[in-house]
Coordinates of all heavy atoms in Angstrom, one line a residue:
D1 N 11.7 5.0 14.8 CA 10.9 4.7 13.6 C 9.4 4.4 14.0 O 8.5 4.9 13.4 CB 11.5 3.5 12.9 CG 10.8 3.0 11.7 OD1 10.4 3.9 10.8 OD2 10.5 1.8 11.5
S2 N 9.3 3.6 15.0 CA 7.9 3.2 15.5 C 7.1 4.4 16.0 O 5.9 4.6 15.7 CB 8.0 2.2 16.6 OG 6.8 1.9 17.1
Y3 N 7.8 5.3 16.7 CA 7.1 6.5 17.2 C 6.6 7.4 16.1 O 5.5 7.9 16.1 CB 8.0 7.3 18.2 CG 8.3 6.7 19.5 CD1 9.5 6.9 20.1 CD2 7.3 5.9 20.1 CE1 9.8 6.3 21.3 CE2 7.6 5.3 21.4 CZ 8.8 5.5 22.0 OH 9.1 5.0 23.2
V4 N 7.5 7.7 15.1 CA 7.1 8.5 14.0 C 6.0 7.9 13.2 O 5.1 8.6 12.7 CB 8.4 8.9 13.1 CG1 7.9 9.8 11.9 CG2 9.4 9.7 14.0
A5 N 6.1 6.6 13.0 CA 5.0 5.9 12.3 C 3.7 6.0 13.0 O 2.7 6.3 12.3 CB 5.4 4.4 12.1
G6 N 3.7 5.9 14.3 CA 2.4 6.1 15.0 C 1.9 7.5 14.9 O 0.7 7.7 14.7
L7 N 2.8 8.5 14.9 CA 2.4 9.9 14.7 C 1.8 10.1 13.3 O 0.8 10.8 13.2 CB 3.6 10.8 15.0 CG 4.1 10.8 16.5 CD1 5.4 11.5 16.5 CD2 3.1 11.5 17.4
A8 N 2.5 9.6 12.3 CA 2.0 9.7 11.0 C 0.6 9.1 10.8 O -0.3 9.8 10.2 CB 3.0 9.1 10.0
L9 N 0.4 7.9 11.3 CA -0.9 7.3 11.2 C -2.0 8.1 12.0 O -3.1 8.3 11.4 CB -0.8 5.9 11.8 CG -0.1 4.9 10.9 CD1 0.1 3.6 11.7 CD2 -0.7 4.7 9.6
S10 N -1.6 8.6 13.1 CA -2.6 9.5 13.9 C -2.9 10.8 13.1 O -4.1 11.1 13.0 CB -2.0 9.9 15.2 OG -1.9 8.8 16.1
E11 N -1.9 11.4 12.5 CA -2.1 12.6 11.8 C -3.0 12.4 10.5 O -3.9 13.1 10.2 CB -0.7 13.2 11.3 CG -0.8 14.5 10.5 CD -1.4 15.7 11.3 OE1 -1.6 15.6 12.5 OE2 -1.6 16.7 10.7
L12 N -2.7 11.3 9.9 CA -3.5 11.0 8.6 C -4.9 10.5 8.9 O -5.8 10.6 8.1 CB -2.8 9.9 7.8 CG -1.5 10.4 7.2 CD1 -0.6 9.3 6.6 CD2 -1.7 11.4 6.1
S13 N -5.2 10.1 10.2 CA -6.5 9.6 10.5 C -7.3 10.6 11.4 O -8.2 10.2 12.1 CB -6.4 8.2 11.1 OG -5.8 8.3 12.4
G14 N -6.9 11.8 11.4 CA -7.6 12.8 12.1 C -6.8 13.8 12.9 O -7.4 14.8 13.4
G15 N -5.6 13.6 13.1 CA -4.7 14.6 13.7 C -4.2 14.1 15.1 O -4.7 13.1 15.6
L16 N -3.2 14.8 15.6 CA -2.6 14.4 16.8 C -3.4 14.9 18.0 O -4.1 15.9 17.9 CB -1.2 15.0 17.0 CG -0.2 14.7 15.9 CD1 1.2 15.2 16.2 CD2 -0.1 13.2 15.6
D17 N -3.4 14.2 19.1 CA -4.0 14.7 20.3 C -3.0 15.4 21.1 O -1.8 15.4 20.8 CB -4.8 13.6 21.1 CG -3.9 12.5 21.6 OD1 -2.7 12.8 21.9 OD2 -4.3 11.4 21.7
D18 N -3.4 16.0 22.2 CA -2.4 16.8 23.0 C -1.3 16.0 23.6 O -0.2 16.5 23.7 CB -3.2 17.5 24.2 CG -4.1 18.6 23.7 OD1 -3.9 19.1 22.6 OD2 -5.0 19.0 24.5
D19 N -1.5 14.7 23.8 CA -0.4 13.8 24.3 C 0.6 13.5 23.3 O 1.8 13.2 23.6 CB -1.0 12.5 24.9 CG -1.8 12.8 26.1 OD1 -1.6 13.8 26.8 OD2 -2.7 11.9 26.4
D20 N 0.2 13.6 22.0 CA 1.1 13.2 20.9 C 2.1 14.4 20.6 O 3.2 14.1 20.1 CB 0.4 12.9 19.6 CG -0.5 11.7 19.7 OD1 0.0 10.7 20.4 OD2 -1.5 11.6 19.0
I21 N 1.7 15.6 20.8 CA 2.6 16.7 20.4 C 4.0 16.7 21.1 O 4.9 16.9 20.4 CB 1.8 18.0 20.6 CG1 0.6 18.0 19.7 CG2 2.7 19.2 20.3 CD1 -0.4 19.1 19.9
P22 N 4.1 16.5 22.4 CA 5.4 16.4 22.9 C 6.3 15.3 22.3 O 7.5 15.4 22.1 CB 5.2 16.2 24.4 CG 3.8 16.7 24.7 CD 3.1 16.4 23.4
T23 N 5.6 14.2 22.0 CA 6.3 13.0 21.4 C 6.8 13.4 20.0 O 7.9 13.1 19.7 CB 5.3 11.8 21.3 OG1 4.9 11.5 22.6 CG2 6.0 10.6 20.6
L24 N 6.0 14.2 19.3 CA 6.4 14.6 17.9 C 7.7 15.5 18.1 O 8.7 15.2 17.3 CB 5.3 15.5 17.3 CG 5.7 16.2 16.0 CD1 6.0 15.3 14.9 CD2 4.5 17.2 15.6
W25 N 7.7 16.4 19.0 CA 8.9 17.3 19.1 C 10.1 16.6 19.6 O 11.2 16.9 19.2 CB 8.5 18.5 19.9 CG 7.5 19.4 19.2 CD1 6.2 19.6 19.5 CD2 7.8 20.2 18.0 NE1 5.6 20.4 18.5 CE2 6.6 20.8 17.6 CE3 8.9 20.4 17.2 CZ2 6.5 21.6 16.5 CZ3 8.8 21.2 16.1 CH2 7.6 21.8 15.7
A26 N 9.9 15.6 20.5 CA 11.0 14.7 21.0 C 11.6 13.9 19.8 O 12.8 13.8 19.7 CB 10.5 13.8 22.1
C27 N 10.7 13.4 18.9 CA 11.2 12.7 17.8 C 12.0 13.6 16.8 O 13.0 13.1 16.3 CB 10.0 12.0 17.0 SG 9.2 10.6 17.9
I28 N 11.5 14.8 16.6 CA 12.2 15.7 15.7 C 13.6 16.0 16.3 O 14.6 16.0 15.6 CB 11.4 17.0 15.5 CG1 10.2 16.7 14.6 CG2 12.3 18.1 14.9 CD1 9.2 17.8 14.4
T29 N 13.7 16.2 17.6 CA 14.9 16.5 18.3 C 15.9 15.3 18.1 O 17.1 15.4 17.8 CB 14.7 16.7 19.8 OG1 13.9 17.9 19.9 CG2 16.0 16.9 20.6
D30 N 15.3 14.1 18.3 CA 16.2 12.9 18.2 C 16.6 12.7 16.7 O 17.8 12.3 16.5 CB 15.4 11.6 18.7 CG 15.3 11.5 20.2 OD1 16.0 12.3 20.9 OD2 14.5 10.7 20.6
L31 N 15.7 12.9 15.8 CA 16.1 12.8 14.4 C 17.2 13.8 14.0 O 18.2 13.4 13.4 CB 14.9 13.0 13.5 CG 13.9 11.8 13.5 CD1 12.6 12.2 13.0 CD2 14.5 10.6 12.6
D32 N 17.1 15.0 14.5 CA 18.1 16.0 14.2 C 19.5 15.6 14.9 O 20.5 16.0 14.3 CB 17.7 17.4 14.7 CG 16.6 18.0 13.8 OD1 16.3 17.4 12.7 OD2 15.9 18.9 14.2
K33 N 19.4 14.9 16.0 CA 20.6 14.5 16.7 C 21.3 13.4 16.0 O 22.5 13.4 15.8 CB 20.3 14.1 18.1 CG 21.4 13.7 18.9 CD 21.2 13.5 20.4 CE 20.0 12.7 20.8 NZ 19.9 12.5 22.3
I34 N 20.5 12.4 15.5 CA 21.2 11.2 14.9 C 21.5 11.3 13.5 O 22.5 10.7 13.0 CB 20.3 9.9 15.2 CG1 19.0 10.1 14.4 CG2 20.1 9.7 16.6 CD1 18.3 8.8 14.1
L35 N 20.8 12.1 12.7 CA 21.0 12.1 11.3 C 22.5 12.4 10.9 O 23.1 11.7 10.0 CB 20.1 13.1 10.5 CG 18.7 12.5 10.2 CD1 17.7 13.5 9.8 CD2 18.9 11.4 9.2
P36 N 23.2 13.4 11.5 CA 24.5 13.7 11.1 C 25.5 12.5 11.5 O 26.6 12.5 11.0 CB 24.9 14.9 11.9 CG 23.7 15.5 12.4 CD 22.7 14.4 12.5
L37 N 25.0 11.6 12.4 CA 25.9 10.5 12.9 C 25.7 9.2 12.1 O 26.5 8.3 12.4 CB 25.6 10.3 14.4 CG 25.7 11.5 15.3 CD1 25.3 11.2 16.7 CD2 27.1 12.1 15.3
I38 N 24.8 9.2 11.2 CA 24.5 7.9 10.5 C 25.4 7.9 9.3 O 25.3 8.7 8.4 CB 23.0 7.8 10.1 CG1 22.2 7.7 11.4 CG2 22.8 6.5 9.2 CD1 20.7 7.7 11.1
G39 N 26.3 6.9 9.2 CA 27.2 6.8 8.1 C 26.7 6.0 6.9 O 27.1 6.2 5.8
D40 N 25.8 5.1 7.2 CA 25.2 4.2 6.1 C 24.2 5.0 5.3 O 23.3 5.6 5.8 CB 24.5 3.0 6.8 CG 23.9 2.1 5.8 OD1 24.6 1.2 5.3 OD2 22.6 2.3 5.5
E41 N 24.4 5.0 4.0 CA 23.6 5.9 3.1 C 22.2 5.5 3.1 O 21.3 6.4 3.2 CB 24.2 5.7 1.6 CG 23.5 6.7 0.7 CD 24.1 6.6 -0.7 OE1 25.3 6.2 -0.9 OE2 23.4 6.9 -1.7
Y42 N 21.8 4.2 3.0 CA 20.4 3.8 3.0 C 19.8 4.2 4.4 O 18.7 4.7 4.4 CB 20.3 2.3 2.8 CG 18.8 1.9 2.8 CD1 17.9 2.2 1.8 CD2 18.3 1.3 3.9 CE1 16.6 1.9 1.8 CE2 16.9 0.9 4.0 CZ 16.1 1.2 2.9 OH 14.8 0.9 3.0
C43 N 20.4 3.9 5.5 CA 19.9 4.2 6.8 C 19.7 5.7 6.9 O 18.6 6.2 7.4 CB 20.8 3.7 7.9 SG 20.1 3.8 9.5
R44 N 20.6 6.5 6.4 CA 20.5 8.0 6.5 C 19.3 8.4 5.7 O 18.5 9.3 6.1 CB 21.8 8.6 6.1 CG 21.7 10.1 6.3 CD 23.1 10.9 6.0 NE 23.7 10.4 4.8 CZ 24.8 9.6 4.8 NH1 25.4 9.2 5.9 NH2 25.4 9.2 3.7
S45 N 19.1 7.9 4.5 CA 18.0 8.3 3.7 C 16.7 7.8 4.3 O 15.7 8.6 4.2 CB 18.1 7.8 2.2 OG 17.8 6.4 2.1

């Protein structure tokens, strides 16, 4: 949650730098991995 928040703030304030891009793709990979495993409706949303 913290990583994606930081990425969002960076994107909204001028864009990601080269160091942020691998973090973005790692977060997407992690989100795609965990979403099917979250049983709680609020947490999943």
